[in-house]
């Protein structure tokens, strides 16, 4: 029996539903999903296995014009997505007109690999608007197959996945068949904590935060975790902690619940907050947190 395998990379503007789509394909919550833009900072691989296929999905940061070193690194992850893709998914949402970076857009329209353009959030449109948008994108990206989808509602997601498998080359699997992702456990602890911060804090606070899990001890029935939330200024530290520690406690409780579901075990989590001045513009700090590799 022949076996198909390949890399499917998802790109698009911030907040168009890339992470929601990947999680829908995988059936696991690997990528942060919030209403805020720029929630995905890394390139995250999710692996879907069948008897005769392996789809290696890549969720990438939303395409932006970088304003500081961290964002430069994030766009580096997007650039790498063009290099190893067997299928490229370009995701847009109803009402969108173009990518925020013209150079990336030209790479898509001149791509020699199959491009699937997913017109997402169609549950927010009517039939007339949908038809107009399909025609618009067909003229803009003539090399793409267009699929109207709702990643959140699951509409057309299975059809897109089946088309991906058809387009993949014959190949043995790249990863063990029981592997879900290329990221270690600590990565998902960090991302889960960061998601809660994105949900509960406003303005610049979520974007000035990085999480570092310093301790991960797995026992038979429990995982013990100690994680540090890094901020750039003392004032941010006070906001993260909140009055008598109430805000930090809320983050810990919500993160623990999600992580217990993800790992299928009881989680004991300790959270601390430290100031790491200007880490977003510090090359050594960015490398430490897995950027600029």
């Amino acid at each position: 029996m022949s076996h198909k395998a390949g890399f499917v990379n998802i790109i698009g503007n911030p907040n168009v539903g890339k992470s929601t789509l990947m999680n829908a394909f995988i059936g696991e919550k690997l990528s942060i999903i919030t209403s805020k833009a720029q929630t995905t900072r890394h390139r995250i691989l999710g692996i879907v296995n069948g008897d005769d296929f392996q789809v290696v999905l890549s969720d990438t940061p939303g395409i932006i014009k970088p304003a500081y070193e961290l964002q430069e690194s994030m766009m580096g992850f997007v650039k790498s997505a063009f290099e190893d893709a067997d299928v490229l998914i370009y995701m847009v949402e109803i009402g969108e007109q173009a990518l925020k970076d013209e150079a990336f857009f030209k790479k898509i329209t001149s791509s020699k690999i199959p491009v699937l353009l997913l017109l997402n959030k169609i549950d927010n449109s009517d039939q007339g608007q949908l038809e107009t948008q399909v025609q618009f994108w067909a003229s803009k990206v003539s090399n793409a197959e267009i699929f109207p989808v709702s990643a959140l509602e699951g509409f057309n997601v299975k059809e897109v996945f089946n088309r991906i498998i058809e387009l993949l080359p014959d190949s043995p699997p790249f990863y063990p068949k029981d592997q879900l992702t290329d990221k270690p456990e600590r990565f998902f602890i960090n991302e889960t904590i960061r998601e809660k911060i994105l949900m509960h804090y406003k303005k610049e606070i979520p974007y000035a935060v990085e999480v570092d899990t310093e301790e991960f001890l797995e026992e038979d029935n429990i995982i013990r975790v100690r994680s540090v939330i890094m901020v750039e200024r003392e004032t941010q530290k006070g906001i993260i902690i909140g009055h008598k520690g109430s805000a930090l406690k809320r983050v810990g409780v919500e993160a623990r619940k999600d992580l217990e579901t993800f790992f299928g075990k009881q989680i004991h989590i300790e959270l601390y907050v430290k100031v790491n001045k200007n880490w977003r513009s510090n090359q050594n700090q960015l490398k430490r947190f897995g950027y600029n590799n």
Side-chain angles (χ1 to χ4, degrees):
M1 183 172 64
S2 65
H3 187 279
K4 290 191 164 196
F7 291 82
V8 180
N9 301 339
I10 309 168
I11 64 171
N13 284 334
N15 211 26
V16 295
K18 299 183 297 297
S19 297
T20 305
L21 177 74
M22 188 169 97
N23 291 343
F25 281 149
I26 294 166
E28 294 277 353
K29 189 176 178 184
L30 294 186
S31 290
I32 284 181
I33 303 170
T34 79
S35 59
K36 291 186 171 75
Q38 300 176 43
T39 52
T40 299
R41 285 180 176 170
H42 295 263
R43 185 177 171 190
I44 302 168
L45 294 191
I47 305 162
V48 185
N49 292 292
D51 291 338
D52 57 352
F53 68 85
Q54 182 177 82
V55 180
V56 185
L57 294 153
S58 180
D59 180 20
T60 62
I63 294 171
I64 54 174
K65 297 253 184 192
Y68 44 83
E69 290 289 339
L70 171 61
Q71 292 182 341
E72 292 278 3
S73 178
M74 288 161 59
M75 291 308 94
F77 290 129
V78 179
K79 289 174 185 173
S80 70
F82 285 92
E83 295 167 5
D84 60 9
D86 295 295
V87 177
L88 194 64
I89 292 180
Y90 173 33
M91 201 158 189
V92 301
E93 64 178 339
I94 288 287
E96 190 177 320
Q97 296 298 313
L99 265 181
K100 293 181 179 174
D101 188 306
E102 189 63 30
F104 278 119
F105 190 73
K106 286 179 180 176
K107 280 190 173 185
I108 296 167
T109 56
S110 61
S111 173
K112 304 300 183 189
I113 60 172
V115 177
L116 303 183
L117 190 150
L118 306 192
L119 184 55
N120 192 30
K121 304 184 183 180
I122 63 167
D123 42 315
N124 296 332
S125 68
D126 56 36
Q127 188 63 32
Q129 186 183 20
L130 176 58
E131 290 174 1
T132 301
Q133 287 276 284
V134 169
Q135 290 173 4
F136 171 80
W137 285 109
S139 66
K140 291 277 283 186
V141 192
S142 59
N143 58 321
E145 293 180 49
I146 298 177
F147 289 82
V149 302
S150 172
L152 187 64
E153 301 295 334
F155 176 77
N156 241 5
V157 169
K158 186 175 181 181
E159 288 75 9
V160 172
F161 191 78
N162 290 340
R163 181 59 181 144
I164 288 169
I165 293 173
E166 290 174 358
L167 292 169
L168 289 182
D170 288 335
S171 169
F174 294 94
Y175 295 90
K177 281 285 196 166
D178 60 352
Q179 190 167 334
L180 181 67
T181 181
D182 67 329
K183 298 294 184 186
E185 289 96 338
R186 291 178 192 228
F187 176 84
F188 294 103
I189 292 168
N190 297 346
E191 288 291 274
T192 301
I193 295 167
R194 199 165 65 82
E195 179 188 52
K196 304 312 172 190
I197 292 167
L198 278 156
M199 289 169 58
H200 292 302
Y201 297 87
K202 296 178 182 178
K203 297 181 180 178
E204 180 67 7
I205 294 291
Y207 303 103
V209 163
E210 185 60 58
V211 182
D212 183 26
T213 294
E214 296 184 336
E215 187 174 280
F216 179 92
L217 298 174
E218 186 166 9
E219 302 171 10
D220 288 342
N221 299 316
I222 191 170
I223 297 172
R224 301 184 188 278
V225 172
R226 185 176 70 241
S227 300
V228 177
I229 298 169
M230 304 283 187
V231 295
E232 291 192 310
R233 298 193 299 274
E234 284 289 342
T235 52
Q236 295 167 346
K237 179 179 178 179
I239 294 169
I240 290 286
I241 293 170
H243 181 63
K244 294 183 178 180
S246 59
L248 185 62
K249 182 178 180 181
R250 178 173 62 181
V251 168
V253 168
E254 293 186 8
R256 176 181 56 77
K257 289 178 181 177
D258 280 8
L259 289 168
E260 285 180 342
T261 300
F262 185 79
F263 288 105
K265 278 188 176 183
Q266 185 181 346
I267 301 283
H268 175 77
I269 187 166
E270 295 179 20
L271 288 181
Y272 300 89
V273 186
K274 291 183 181 179
V275 177
N276 188 341
K277 288 186 178 179
N278 300 320
W279 69 266
R280 288 183 294 177
S281 300
N282 185 307
Q283 291 282 359
N284 290 331
Q285 292 298 322
L286 289 171
K287 193 168 185 180
R288 173 190 168 194
F289 295 134
Y291 306 101
N292 290 358
N293 285 344

